[in-house]
Amino acid sequence: MSFSSSKIFRVLNGEAVSPPPVWLMRQAGRYLVEYRQLRAKARSFLDLCYTPKLAAEATLQPIRRFGFDAGIIFSDILVVPDAFGQKVSFETGGGPKLEPISNAAGLGRLREKVDLDRLAPVFDAVRRVKEAAPETPLIGFCGAPFTLASYMIAGQGTPDQAPARLLAYRDPDLFQALIDRLVAGSIDYLLGQIDAGVDLVQIFDSWAGALAPSEFESWCVAPLKTIIEGVRARHPEKKIIAFPRRAGLSIVDFAARTGADALGLDETIDPVAAAKRIEASTVLQGNLDPLALVAGGRALQEGTERILSAFAGRPHIFNLGHGILPETPVAHVEALLGQIRAADA
Ligand code: CP3
């Protein structure tokens, strides 16, 4: 099926569409009562990701409830380390826990290549979602190599990604070897999702902003460029959104440097400045503060208006600047959608 007439693809093809298409990062999740009920059916969060029927249902819930302009397959970026053979678990209420990799022996314990059989349930979930909602563009995704490495090396989330950045300074060859493996695994994983039916993909570099400027090219730009080239070699037509979170001024020419079709902006980027400084042909996505969505009222209304007016007349996909927070009231999501959909055509 061709989606060229759907709003999100018109924007990705360079058209300014008003009102803009909208989806929200982490749109499936704990802020939805139906997600919490579904979550209770799985033993663990990873079981939920690896049970196609449940993962497909989690993907569909926010599409049904809100009619978003795209779905995003329900999974997690950490299924890739898991499929490299690293032990990954999610503790209830806490963040992810991994067996940390700190040296060559740790890297040696990983598989050479990502185990696509382990990821087969994700591909199965993609097929189920496409069957149930063929008209809704479906986004596949992966974590960018640096963001994955930051969890794989620390063994958990950290405030500043220091363990990964230190290893990159102390042993750049080892760090490069890990990044190279993740680049290859990410290409395989994205191609698997595309073969199963996703219509476009997003690469999350959630911790790109932690990199020193001297390191940014090596660990953020170069790996993303290679992944994008690898996907394009097989699927030149597939649209790819890059999200280098908190990357500051590096975002200005990021799409051109990596070859991404669209650039995700986090909430720290002023939309007015972004519209002025980023080339008018660059497709932008973002960037409402997730906390403004929690707060509602004036913060939500004014934040939304600022984004809508800054990006009016250029290709823009409305989104948050980061994932939706569990404490977000559903009524605020409805108010946001009402405001966007009422925007002047
Ligand atoms: O967007 C969607 O609706 C699709 C699902 C999705 C999840 N994680 C589900 C999830 C996506 C796209 C992700 C990406 C992800 N996962 C990122 C990149 C984006 C970002 O937020 O920066 C990162 C860094 C992760 C790693 C991760 N997964 C962490 C740090 C946590 C714990 C924090 C938390 O919110 O609990 C997770 C768990 C996770 N991933 C949950 C969901 C719905 C919550 C777990 C649960 O429901 O029990």
Side-chain angles (χ1 to χ4, degrees):
M1 172 176 305
S2 156
F3 287 93
S4 52
S5 59
S6 74
K7 271 181 147 195
I8 200 162
F9 280 99
R10 283 166 57 201
V11 170
L12 287 165
N13 283 317
E15 192 184 331
V17 174
S18 178
V22 53
W23 70 279
L24 304 180
M25 290 187 275
R26 298 265 190 114
Q27 64 191 19
R30 287 165 292 185
Y31 75 109
L32 294 177
V33 58
E34 61 270 33
Y35 172 82
R36 296 195 297 270
Q37 285 163 358
L38 192 71
R39 173 74 181 76
K41 292 186 188 172
R43 237 180 340 128
S44 70
F45 173 68
L46 269 186
D47 281 341
L48 179 57
C49 294
Y50 287 143
T51 308
K53 195 169 165 225
L54 300 183
E57 175 58 20
T59 308
L60 291 163
Q61 285 175 341
I63 302 173
R64 268 192 225 117
R65 190 192 264 264
F66 301 113
F68 286 122
D69 292 290
I72 178 162
I73 188 63
F74 188 82
S75 182
D76 196 83
I77 62 168
L78 297 178
V79 297
V80 167
D82 180 64
F84 268 109
Q86 189 173 19
K87 278 208 183 76
V88 178
S89 64
F90 287 84
E91 287 165 13
T92 346
K97 288 273 180 291
L98 301 83
E99 201 179 340
I101 293 172
S102 54
N103 51 31
L107 181 66
R109 280 194 292 275
L110 294 185
R111 302 172 65 103
E112 286 289 332
K113 289 186 70 175
V114 73
D115 179 6
L116 290 175
D117 289 339
R118 177 89 180 147
L119 298 168
V122 180
F123 308 145
D124 192 6
V126 167
R127 283 187 285 268
R128 283 168 185 258
V129 173
K130 286 313 297 181
E131 230 174 83
E135 307 293 333
T136 305
L138 181 62
I139 303 169
F141 71 91
C142 69
F146 175 70
T147 289
L148 292 179
S150 75
Y151 288 98
M152 295 173 81
I153 290 164
Q156 59 186 20
T158 54
D160 53 5
Q161 292 67 56
R165 292 193 292 126
L166 256 182
L167 187 68
Y169 282 133
R170 286 183 173 148
D171 194 345
D173 292 342
L174 177 67
F175 196 74
Q176 183 76 60
L178 174 60
I179 293 289
D180 288 347
R181 217 177 283 195
L182 293 171
V183 164
S186 301
I187 295 170
D188 289 347
Y189 182 44
L190 290 177
L191 289 174
Q193 293 179 63
I194 291 170
D195 289 341
V198 301
D199 303 295
L200 70 155
V201 298
Q202 173 158 321
I203 306 172
F204 287 87
D205 214 346
S206 301
W207 299 121
L211 287 164
S214 61
E215 306 290 286
F216 191 78
E217 171 66 34
S218 307
W219 312 130
C220 177
V221 175
L224 254 69
K225 185 167 186 282
T226 312
I227 293 173
I228 290 169
E229 283 167 359
V231 171
R232 289 261 160 74
R234 278 242 336 260
H235 288 282
E237 78 294 350
K238 282 293 162 187
K239 298 294 184 187
I240 303 173
I241 304 171
F243 177 48
R245 185 170 160 264
R246 299 270 168 117
L249 288 175
S250 303
I251 61 160
V252 173
D253 55 358
F254 194 82
R257 282 166 81 193
T258 57
D261 296 289
L263 177 67
L265 305 176
D266 69 73
E267 72 279 5
T268 64
I269 304 290
D270 177 8
V272 176
K276 213 179 287 171
R277 291 199 190 186
I278 301 174
E279 209 187 330
S281 61
T282 302
V283 178
L284 299 177
Q285 174 176 280
N287 69 338
L288 182 72
D289 188 343
L291 276 178
L293 190 57
V294 172
R298 260 185 64 182
L300 172 56
Q301 209 182 340
E302 291 178 5
T304 302
E305 180 49 37
R306 188 173 168 81
I307 292 164
L308 289 172
S309 61
F311 297 141
R314 61 180 294 160
H316 170 233
I317 300 164
F318 200 102
N319 205 318
L320 298 175
H322 196 198
I324 193 166
L325 294 161
E327 62 269 35
T328 305
V330 162
H332 294 181
V333 178
E334 285 161 355
L336 168 68
L337 291 172
Q339 189 178 344
I340 295 170
R341 288 169 181 161
D344 282 348

